[in-house]
Amino acid sequence: MNDSFGDFNATQTAGAASEQKGEGILPMLIKQILLLPEGNIELFGMHYAMTTVVAIVRNIETSSTKITYTLEDHTGRLDAHYWLEEGDAHKAPDVMLNNYVRVYGTTRSQGGQKTLMVFKALPVLDPNEVTTHLLEVLNARYKAEAYQEKGGSSGHQNSTMPDFSASQSNALVNGLDAKQQAVFQAIKSNVSEEGIGRKELKGKFSHISDSELNNILEFMISEGHIYSSIDADHFICTM
Amino acid sequence: MAFDPRTIINGGMLKQFNGQTISIMVRVESVAGSQLVATSTDKQKLRINLSSGELSSAEGAWVEVIGVPHGNDTIRAQEVIEFGGEEIDFDADGYNSLAHLLNNVKQLFRSG
């Protein structure tokens, strides 16, 4: 298991390939995990490869092969295992007792007992991240139901399946109209470190007036979708 | 210690949850001994009785209080969780919306 947390959309995740079929990351509450009928991460007919949870670490137990965290959010408690690899030499996650952590992982069900297999654990330093996670959980839960009611996908996984985890979303950004969306995509698809320049954007969107483009950029900065990088005329997207 | 589920609330909901375990984000105003005076996200002034007298957070920091409320403005705290300090710009409106949603949505734990 490597540390670089690469492509979340891979349907095969190391070590858990036989259990999960599905893509994307579902934000969940611990009680939701405990209520899963089996090991699979599923909501209203949609399967996910992984879940993300934000919770307080109540206990840390280290053995030679793994670290076991007891995670707790306001809805329940769950044990999570972080497997150590040989030669990993104490690359333990930077996690503190009685503090919040964000965990990405897959679920396992053994004899009715649920555990989480942790791929990544990160400390949460900003309480806004807790608020955001809970809102993402609510969003995922109700959007999934609405999606199913609308006919949804016929159970066959495809790239248009909703991904409720903002950090991984390739989907359209909410709250942007068509022009804003187009500008955003242009900024997002630029892969250079310094981002795309205002002049280059004007060239790409010659049909949009300078002042309108400037307004679009201002708006997206204020909404947090983009930010300026090396100077006020270069932009990178936040996602 | 067995797990005790708790409800995420804001200041206005304190009365409704008297006697029940809650979790609430509050802004530190002052600490005197084992009493913390804080403000909730909906601008209510709260008195929080701490179980252990130590709080490293300074005025202006947002902390999570887990405990049991009494009356309109008092909480007997079981624990206080601190974060990154007073520099953090906590989204109080977002948290208020969250508290409202969590307590009003239907069948949150339904999955199919």
PDB file of all heavy atoms in Angstrom, chain B residues 15-33:
ATOM      1  N   LYS B  15     -32.068  24.600  25.405  1.00  0.00           N
ATOM      2  CA  LYS B  15     -33.196  24.310  26.294  1.00  0.00           C
ATOM      3  C   LYS B  15     -33.845  22.980  25.917  1.00  0.00           C
ATOM      4  O   LYS B  15     -34.170  22.162  26.763  1.00  0.00           O
ATOM      5  CB  LYS B  15     -34.202  25.456  26.179  1.00  0.00           C
ATOM      6  CG  LYS B  15     -35.376  25.339  27.140  1.00  0.00           C
ATOM      7  CD  LYS B  15     -35.471  26.531  28.079  1.00  0.00           C
ATOM      8  CE  LYS B  15     -36.405  26.197  29.243  1.00  0.00           C
ATOM      9  NZ  LYS B  15     -37.672  26.927  29.186  1.00  0.00           N
ATOM     10  N   GLN B  16     -34.015  22.819  24.586  1.00  0.00           N
ATOM     11  CA  GLN B  16     -34.673  21.627  24.065  1.00  0.00           C
ATOM     12  C   GLN B  16     -33.907  20.350  24.422  1.00  0.00           C
ATOM     13  O   GLN B  16     -34.484  19.275  24.507  1.00  0.00           O
ATOM     14  CB  GLN B  16     -34.755  21.794  22.550  1.00  0.00           C
ATOM     15  CG  GLN B  16     -35.472  20.727  21.794  1.00  0.00           C
ATOM     16  CD  GLN B  16     -35.224  20.908  20.285  1.00  0.00           C
ATOM     17  OE1 GLN B  16     -34.750  21.951  19.838  1.00  0.00           O
ATOM     18  NE2 GLN B  16     -35.534  19.887  19.521  1.00  0.00           N
ATOM     19  N   PHE B  17     -32.595  20.480  24.630  1.00  0.00           N
ATOM     20  CA  PHE B  17     -31.777  19.299  24.872  1.00  0.00           C
ATOM     21  C   PHE B  17     -31.267  19.195  26.310  1.00  0.00           C
ATOM     22  O   PHE B  17     -30.302  18.496  26.588  1.00  0.00           O
ATOM     23  CB  PHE B  17     -30.603  19.247  23.874  1.00  0.00           C
ATOM     24  CG  PHE B  17     -31.039  18.808  22.506  1.00  0.00           C
ATOM     25  CD1 PHE B  17     -31.477  19.740  21.585  1.00  0.00           C
ATOM     26  CD2 PHE B  17     -31.044  17.463  22.161  1.00  0.00           C
ATOM     27  CE1 PHE B  17     -31.924  19.340  20.324  1.00  0.00           C
ATOM     28  CE2 PHE B  17     -31.472  17.048  20.909  1.00  0.00           C
ATOM     29  CZ  PHE B  17     -31.916  17.985  19.991  1.00  0.00           C
ATOM     30  N   ASN B  18     -31.942  19.891  27.213  1.00  0.00           N
ATOM     31  CA  ASN B  18     -31.599  19.785  28.632  1.00  0.00           C
ATOM     32  C   ASN B  18     -31.539  18.328  29.057  1.00  0.00           C
ATOM     33  O   ASN B  18     -32.449  17.563  28.762  1.00  0.00           O
ATOM     34  CB  ASN B  18     -32.654  20.498  29.482  1.00  0.00           C
ATOM     35  CG  ASN B  18     -32.240  21.917  29.812  1.00  0.00           C
ATOM     36  OD1 ASN B  18     -32.761  22.509  30.739  1.00  0.00           O
ATOM     37  ND2 ASN B  18     -31.310  22.467  29.067  1.00  0.00           N
ATOM     38  N   GLY B  19     -30.461  17.969  29.732  1.00  0.00           N
ATOM     39  CA  GLY B  19     -30.366  16.607  30.241  1.00  0.00           C
ATOM     40  C   GLY B  19     -29.826  15.602  29.232  1.00  0.00           C
ATOM     41  O   GLY B  19     -29.554  14.460  29.591  1.00  0.00           O
ATOM     42  N   GLN B  20     -29.674  16.007  27.967  1.00  0.00           N
ATOM     43  CA  GLN B  20     -29.180  15.067  26.951  1.00  0.00           C
ATOM     44  C   GLN B  20     -27.759  15.439  26.532  1.00  0.00           C
ATOM     45  O   GLN B  20     -27.387  16.603  26.581  1.00  0.00           O
ATOM     46  CB  GLN B  20     -30.072  15.110  25.716  1.00  0.00           C
ATOM     47  CG  GLN B  20     -31.509  14.716  25.990  1.00  0.00           C
ATOM     48  CD  GLN B  20     -32.336  14.825  24.731  1.00  0.00           C
ATOM     49  OE1 GLN B  20     -31.975  14.272  23.705  1.00  0.00           O
ATOM     50  NE2 GLN B  20     -33.441  15.544  24.800  1.00  0.00           N
ATOM     51  N   THR B  21     -27.023  14.467  26.083  1.00  0.00           N
ATOM     52  CA  THR B  21     -25.649  14.749  25.673  1.00  0.00           C
ATOM     53  C   THR B  21     -25.632  15.441  24.315  1.00  0.00           C
ATOM     54  O   THR B  21     -26.290  14.995  23.374  1.00  0.00           O
ATOM     55  CB  THR B  21     -24.820  13.464  25.576  1.00  0.00           C
ATOM     56  OG1 THR B  21     -25.003  12.702  26.767  1.00  0.00           O
ATOM     57  CG2 THR B  21     -23.330  13.791  25.427  1.00  0.00           C
ATOM     58  N   ILE B  22     -24.912  16.557  24.275  1.00  0.00           N
ATOM     59  CA  ILE B  22     -24.846  17.325  23.039  1.00  0.00           C
ATOM     60  C   ILE B  22     -23.401  17.647  22.683  1.00  0.00           C
ATOM     61  O   ILE B  22     -22.488  17.471  23.496  1.00  0.00           O
ATOM     62  CB  ILE B  22     -25.629  18.669  23.156  1.00  0.00           C
ATOM     63  CG1 ILE B  22     -25.142  19.484  24.351  1.00  0.00           C
ATOM     64  CG2 ILE B  22     -27.105  18.408  23.262  1.00  0.00           C
ATOM     65  CD1 ILE B  22     -24.113  20.539  24.049  1.00  0.00           C
ATOM     66  N   SER B  23     -23.268  18.158  21.457  1.00  0.00           N
ATOM     67  CA  SER B  23     -21.976  18.663  21.015  1.00  0.00           C
ATOM     68  C   SER B  23     -22.261  20.039  20.441  1.00  0.00           C
ATOM     69  O   SER B  23     -23.199  20.205  19.670  1.00  0.00           O
ATOM     70  CB  SER B  23     -21.410  17.753  19.931  1.00  0.00           C
ATOM     71  OG  SER B  23     -20.463  18.451  19.167  1.00  0.00           O
ATOM     72  N   ILE B  24     -21.473  21.032  20.817  1.00  0.00           N
ATOM     73  CA  ILE B  24     -21.721  22.380  20.326  1.00  0.00           C
ATOM     74  C   ILE B  24     -20.406  23.111  20.105  1.00  0.00           C
ATOM     75  O   ILE B  24     -19.485  23.010  20.916  1.00  0.00           O
ATOM     76  CB  ILE B  24     -22.645  23.170  21.301  1.00  0.00           C
ATOM     77  CG1 ILE B  24     -22.960  24.545  20.742  1.00  0.00           C
ATOM     78  CG2 ILE B  24     -22.024  23.265  22.701  1.00  0.00           C
ATOM     79  CD1 ILE B  24     -24.037  25.306  21.506  1.00  0.00           C
ATOM     80  N   MET B  25     -20.322  23.821  18.990  1.00  0.00           N
ATOM     81  CA  MET B  25     -19.136  24.635  18.728  1.00  0.00           C
ATOM     82  C   MET B  25     -19.351  25.998  19.370  1.00  0.00           C
ATOM     83  O   MET B  25     -20.399  26.624  19.181  1.00  0.00           O
ATOM     84  CB  MET B  25     -18.926  24.822  17.221  1.00  0.00           C
ATOM     85  CG  MET B  25     -18.427  23.589  16.509  1.00  0.00           C
ATOM     86  SD  MET B  25     -16.812  23.021  17.065  1.00  0.00           S
ATOM     87  CE  MET B  25     -15.748  24.375  16.587  1.00  0.00           C
ATOM     88  N   VAL B  26     -18.359  26.452  20.132  1.00  0.00           N
ATOM     89  CA  VAL B  26     -18.490  27.752  20.785  1.00  0.00           C
ATOM     90  C   VAL B  26     -17.191  28.536  20.654  1.00  0.00           C
ATOM     91  O   VAL B  26     -16.111  27.964  20.525  1.00  0.00           O
ATOM     92  CB  VAL B  26     -18.839  27.617  22.288  1.00  0.00           C
ATOM     93  CG1 VAL B  26     -20.179  26.927  22.471  1.00  0.00           C
ATOM     94  CG2 VAL B  26     -17.754  26.868  23.054  1.00  0.00           C
ATOM     95  N   ARG B  27     -17.340  29.853  20.734  1.00  0.00           N
ATOM     96  CA  ARG B  27     -16.188  30.743  20.657  1.00  0.00           C
ATOM     97  C   ARG B  27     -15.775  31.147  22.065  1.00  0.00           C
ATOM     98  O   ARG B  27     -16.590  31.668  22.823  1.00  0.00           O
ATOM     99  CB  ARG B  27     -16.582  31.974  19.845  1.00  0.00           C
ATOM    100  CG  ARG B  27     -15.449  32.928  19.573  1.00  0.00           C
ATOM    101  CD  ARG B  27     -16.008  34.149  18.832  1.00  0.00           C
ATOM    102  NE  ARG B  27     -14.956  35.082  18.497  1.00  0.00           N
ATOM    103  CZ  ARG B  27     -14.483  36.019  19.318  1.00  0.00           C
ATOM    104  NH1 ARG B  27     -14.985  36.133  20.527  1.00  0.00           N
ATOM    105  NH2 ARG B  27     -13.517  36.829  18.924  1.00  0.00           N
ATOM    106  N   VAL B  28     -14.521  30.904  22.404  1.00  0.00           N
ATOM    107  CA  VAL B  28     -14.027  31.209  23.748  1.00  0.00           C
ATOM    108  C   VAL B  28     -14.036  32.717  23.987  1.00  0.00           C
ATOM    109  O   VAL B  28     -13.507  33.493  23.193  1.00  0.00           O
ATOM    110  CB  VAL B  28     -12.574  30.675  23.908  1.00  0.00           C
ATOM    111  CG1 VAL B  28     -11.985  31.112  25.232  1.00  0.00           C
ATOM    112  CG2 VAL B  28     -12.552  29.162  23.779  1.00  0.00           C
ATOM    113  N   GLU B  29     -14.674  33.152  25.073  1.00  0.00           N
ATOM    114  CA  GLU B  29     -14.610  34.564  25.463  1.00  0.00           C
ATOM    115  C   GLU B  29     -13.650  34.714  26.623  1.00  0.00           C
ATOM    116  O   GLU B  29     -12.725  35.508  26.572  1.00  0.00           O
ATOM    117  CB  GLU B  29     -16.004  35.102  25.838  1.00  0.00           C
ATOM    118  CG  GLU B  29     -17.043  34.980  24.739  1.00  0.00           C
ATOM    119  CD  GLU B  29     -16.672  35.719  23.446  1.00  0.00           C
ATOM    120  OE1 GLU B  29     -15.847  36.661  23.501  1.00  0.00           O
ATOM    121  OE2 GLU B  29     -17.175  35.338  22.377  1.00  0.00           O
ATOM    122  N   SER B  30     -13.872  33.942  27.696  1.00  0.00           N
ATOM    123  CA  SER B  30     -12.950  33.995  28.838  1.00  0.00           C
ATOM    124  C   SER B  30     -13.027  32.712  29.640  1.00  0.00           C
ATOM    125  O   SER B  30     -14.035  32.010  29.618  1.00  0.00           O
ATOM    126  CB  SER B  30     -13.313  35.184  29.733  1.00  0.00           C
ATOM    127  OG  SER B  30     -14.617  34.999  30.252  1.00  0.00           O
ATOM    128  N   VAL B  31     -11.933  32.422  30.338  1.00  0.00           N
ATOM    129  CA  VAL B  31     -11.911  31.237  31.204  1.00  0.00           C
ATOM    130  C   VAL B  31     -11.509  31.693  32.589  1.00  0.00           C
ATOM    131  O   VAL B  31     -10.511  32.391  32.756  1.00  0.00           O
ATOM    132  CB  VAL B  31     -10.874  30.206  30.722  1.00  0.00           C
ATOM    133  CG1 VAL B  31     -10.992  28.928  31.529  1.00  0.00           C
ATOM    134  CG2 VAL B  31     -11.069  29.894  29.247  1.00  0.00           C
ATOM    135  N   ALA B  32     -12.304  31.299  33.590  1.00  0.00           N
ATOM    136  CA  ALA B  32     -11.946  31.627  34.974  1.00  0.00           C
ATOM    137  C   ALA B  32     -12.064  30.345  35.773  1.00  0.00           C
ATOM    138  O   ALA B  32     -13.169  29.877  36.052  1.00  0.00           O
ATOM    139  CB  ALA B  32     -12.894  32.685  35.518  1.00  0.00           C
ATOM    140  N   GLY B  33     -10.936  29.768  36.091  1.00  0.00           N
ATOM    141  CA  GLY B  33     -10.957  28.505  36.830  1.00  0.00           C
ATOM    142  C   GLY B  33     -11.579  27.428  35.986  1.00  0.00           C
ATOM    143  O   GLY B  33     -11.109  27.130  34.885  1.00  0.00           O
TER     144      GLY B  33
END
